[in-house]
Structures are given as structure tokens and as C-alpha cells.
Amino acid sequence: MTQPFDLIWTQLPERQGRYSSTWWFFLLAPRQAEGYGPKQMMFTLASRVGGPIVMSGVKQAGLDRRRPAGGEEEQFNTMAVGWIHDGERTHERIVNQPVVATLSKKGFLAGWAGAAGGQRWGAELKAAADLPSGINAHFAGQKGYARFEVWADDSARLTTPGETLDLQTPLGGAHVVGWQQLSFRGEFGYPGNQEQLEGIGYFQRVCLNFPAFPWKWIWVAFEDKSIFSCFIPYLGLNLFRRGEWFFPGFLETTTIPIKPNGYFAWGDSLEMVRFNKVRVTPTTWTNGCPAFAVECRSSAGDFIRYRIEPYGHAQLTLDRPLLRGLWRSTFNYNEYMFRVRELSGNVGGRPLGTSRPGNGFGNIEYTWGMGL
């Protein structure tokens, strides 16, 4: 039987259609004085069928469905992207490089492009033989680099790569390998500084085989290593927004959630308590960043409430010309780094508050538009 870790090294090309996209995504939270924030980093390899496409202003060929992809290896066009928040400001586009990548079922994914001065820009992921479910990762770009390793703790399901979703419908599907809490250490360079950091983080390999449409996704790491996460695909007027602006309050918040779900896991056991009622509502805007109110409940009576206070923003846009260039579709992918404020709740018979589970820092993806 194929293990979830082995599925990281394939994007299931036999399932791909004209709207497919694939993402290998790391979100890293270094250990700091207040917990796992405010420093935070994200690195990804992002691919999209169709061509040409434009990612964050950079034109590339896009992923070709007709490529040879039936053996141990395949080559395809992708984009290496990364940002670093240094605790005070976000350094966007540390890496922002289109590359031709090679993906092998033997456990590696690599794509590099030559740059000025004999440098290489791009990214590489390799399965690590000396770490449990380990990956050695290297990203490098015009503004900096990241060289780090991640590994699993086999003592809990939450800390190992697990296949969390395999959805197939007549309209398309999704296949996700999720890793809700990993350990990492490495070296990170950005304008004016380089640091040795270690902490915890999140990884997923997502194969999306229908057009990308709006969602809200949250991942929070608390001081005691407790984890909160939720995912809410939604429909609303946001589906038709492409630019950098927001609707008046009631229009921004009037949306239809599609099977929202979430969980909380205490750091001492990492056993998930799942929520089937989840609300994430934009409330106010500060310096262009939306704040949110979060409220989750389970059928067993567990609940959690808190307020998101954003302090940083990073963005990736995905544009694709349509109708012979007369129009374009735009998917606007935004990440807001935040602090957890006014936490309250009760999960598994244990109250949540300021002393337990401690300070919380996280990331919320708030997307709009549509990736046709």
C-alpha cells in the first residue's frame, strides 16, 4: 500500500485536467520568546495547467498536460516562491523564479534556473534518508534563500504526513497530503540578515483538479505546541473580485460556506477535536489588512473563539489570458500573519485562555477571484 509520504512525490498526472494546479507548500513558525511568532516563513512550488500564465507578474509557460508523465520521472513548468517575515516586516518574493522541474517517485523534486554571476535560482526537495519522513529543502532567489530540513515525530498522527483528502467528482477533484505539525531547523537569508532558526510548521502537497475559487484557511501554533486549523471554501461576490480592494462590510461578509471544518489539538497529546460549525468573519481593516473573528463549535459542545490581529501580508496572483487575450482570469492568493487575541473556549473538557495554551501566532489565507 502506498504511504502518504510517498504520495508527496507525485502529482497524479492521470487525473489532471485543463484547470488543474499543484502546490508543495511549507509554512514555518520559528521558536521565539513569545512562542512561535511573530517571525514566520512560507515557501512553495506552485504549478498550473495552461499557458501562458502569469504568477505575481512573471510570465511562464504553465504546466503542459501533454508532457510525458507515465514513468518514474516527469518534467514540468512550475514556480518557486517564498517570503520571510522577520518579526517586523514581510520580505516578499525572496524567491520568485519560474523553472522547469523534475519530479521523481524516488523522492525528489528539483528545478533550477541560471542567474547572474553563476548563481542558481529555484528550489529542491529531497527525501532525507536519516530523518523520519524527512525532507531536505533548498530555495534560492534574487532576494535571499532558505536551506532547511523537516521531519516527523512518529508518536502522534498529527505530526506525521497523512493523506487527509482524496475527493473525486464528475466536475473534478482534489488530492491532499497534509502534515499538520512538523519539526524544522535551517538557515534563512533575506535582505540585510541571515539566521539559524528552528521550530514547528505545516506542509501539504495539494493536487487541485477544478478551478481555484475563494477559501479561508487558518493554521495557528500556540506556545505549548497546540495547533488550531480550519478550512472554509466559500462563494460570494468575492468570486468576481480581482484587484486590491474590499467590498463594504456587509457585502464582504455575505458569503456561502461550503462544508467548513476545523480542529484543535492540545500540545501534550495532539489528539484532534474536530469542529463541524466554523465561522471566520472579516471585521475591520488596518493598513489594508483585514482582521477576523473566529468561532468554532462541535456537536459534542466543544467550542473556541478568538480574534485575529494581522501584522503582515504576502500575496501571490495567478493570471491566465482567455478569449485570445481579450480577458483574463485572476486568482488572488493572500496570506496574513497574525496574533491570536481574546482567546476563549473549552475543548475536550479543558478551558482555553491566556495561560493555556499560551500565545498564539498564525497565518490566514484569504483568497478571492477564480482560476479559470
Side-chain angles (χ1 to χ4, degrees):
M1 180 177 177
T2 303
Q3 298 300 311
F5 183 79
D6 298 326
L7 291 169
I8 291 171
W9 313 106
T10 176
Q11 55 183 323
L12 304 176
E14 67 277 7
R15 300 191 187 184
Q16 290 179 331
R18 63 183 301 180
Y19 301 115
S20 293
S21 58
T22 309
W23 311 71
W24 288 264
F25 171 90
F26 294 92
L27 180 65
L28 306 177
R31 180 73 189 185
Q32 296 149 72
E34 297 182 77
Y36 292 95
K39 292 179 182 178
Q40 195 175 120
M41 301 89 77
M42 187 285 296
F43 294 94
T44 187
L45 283 153
S47 310
R48 168 70 163 87
V49 166
I53 59 174
V54 180
M55 281 193 183
S56 295
V58 178
K59 189 175 181 179
Q60 60 172 291
L63 196 156
D64 185 356
R65 289 170 58 200
R66 298 168 297 178
R67 70 197 186 278
E72 287 293 308
E73 294 186 0
E74 61 169 303
Q75 288 191 324
F76 59 97
N77 295 297
T78 189
M79 185 91 165
V81 178
W83 54 258
I84 294 175
H85 193 287
D86 65 8
E88 296 183 359
R89 58 170 295 213
T90 307
H91 301 273
E92 289 197 81
R93 303 185 186 181
I94 293 291
V95 185
N96 197 50
Q97 181 64 48
V99 294
V100 177
T102 299
L103 174 64
S104 171
K105 293 178 181 178
K106 295 179 180 179
F108 71 84
L109 167 59
W112 296 100
Q119 300 180 74
R120 295 191 310 164
W121 294 344
E124 182 174 281
L125 312 180
K126 286 186 177 181
D130 59 339
L131 295 168
S133 298
I135 299 174
N136 293 319
H138 182 199
F139 288 78
Q142 187 174 9
K143 295 183 180 180
Y145 66 91
R147 188 178 286 106
F148 58 92
E149 56 186 11
V150 305
W151 65 93
D153 177 357
D154 293 330
S155 65
R157 185 169 64 89
L158 192 76
T159 58
T160 58
E163 184 179 342
T164 58
L165 176 67
D166 188 2
L167 172 68
Q168 296 191 65
T169 75
L171 299 177
H175 188 280
V176 181
V177 177
W179 191 348
Q180 283 85 5
Q181 189 191 104
L182 54 80
S183 299
F184 84 90
R185 58 175 171 253
E187 181 175 285
F188 301 85
Y190 53 92
N193 202 1
Q194 62 181 37
E195 295 185 279
Q196 297 283 340
L197 299 169
E198 59 182 67
I200 60 177
Y202 176 90
F203 171 82
Q204 63 182 11
R205 191 281 279 126
V206 179
C207 297
L208 191 65
N209 295 318
F210 48 77
F213 65 95
W215 69 69
K216 305 166 192 172
W217 175 80
I218 295 173
W219 185 84
V220 180
F222 288 94
E223 198 168 356
D224 69 349
K225 289 191 175 183
S226 295
I227 298 294
F228 169 85
S229 187
C230 69
F231 181 57
I232 309 175
Y234 70 95
L235 298 175
L237 290 177
N238 313 59
L239 189 68
F240 305 104
R241 180 174 64 211
R242 298 191 296 174
E244 299 308 304
W245 50 274
F246 297 96
F247 291 106
F250 73 98
L251 293 177
E252 187 74 26
T253 59
T254 303
T255 60
I256 301 172
I258 302 173
K259 294 186 177 180
N261 63 86
Y263 70 85
F264 181 89
W266 286 102
D268 52 5
S269 64
L270 293 178
E271 290 297 319
M272 287 187 186
V273 174
R274 295 190 178 275
F275 303 105
N276 54 4
K277 295 182 179 179
V278 184
R279 295 182 61 186
V280 178
T281 308
T283 54
T284 59
W285 283 261
T286 303
N287 298 324
C289 292
F292 297 82
V294 179
E295 183 172 358
C296 305
R297 291 186 176 275
S298 76
S299 55
D302 302 285
F303 73 97
I304 181 171
R305 299 189 195 97
Y306 64 89
R307 182 171 58 86
I308 282 176
E309 181 181 271
Y311 60 81
H313 175 223
Q315 180 190 74
L316 184 149
T317 56
L318 176 58
D319 295 292
R320 185 183 181 204
L322 299 171
L323 302 176
R324 297 185 178 181
L326 296 177
W327 190 73
R328 75 180 193 276
S329 73
T330 298
F331 184 67
N332 203 312
Y333 170 87
N334 296 275
E335 297 173 278
Y336 299 96
M337 298 116 258
F338 67 84
R339 296 173 183 265
V340 171
R341 298 296 195 193
E342 300 172 14
L343 175 68
S344 64
N346 193 293
V347 179
R350 301 164 67 180
L352 292 94
T354 54
S355 60
R356 189 177 58 179
N359 294 320
F361 292 87
N363 184 292
I364 177 169
E365 295 179 353
Y366 188 39
T367 73
W368 55 79
M370 195 167 186
L372 292 175

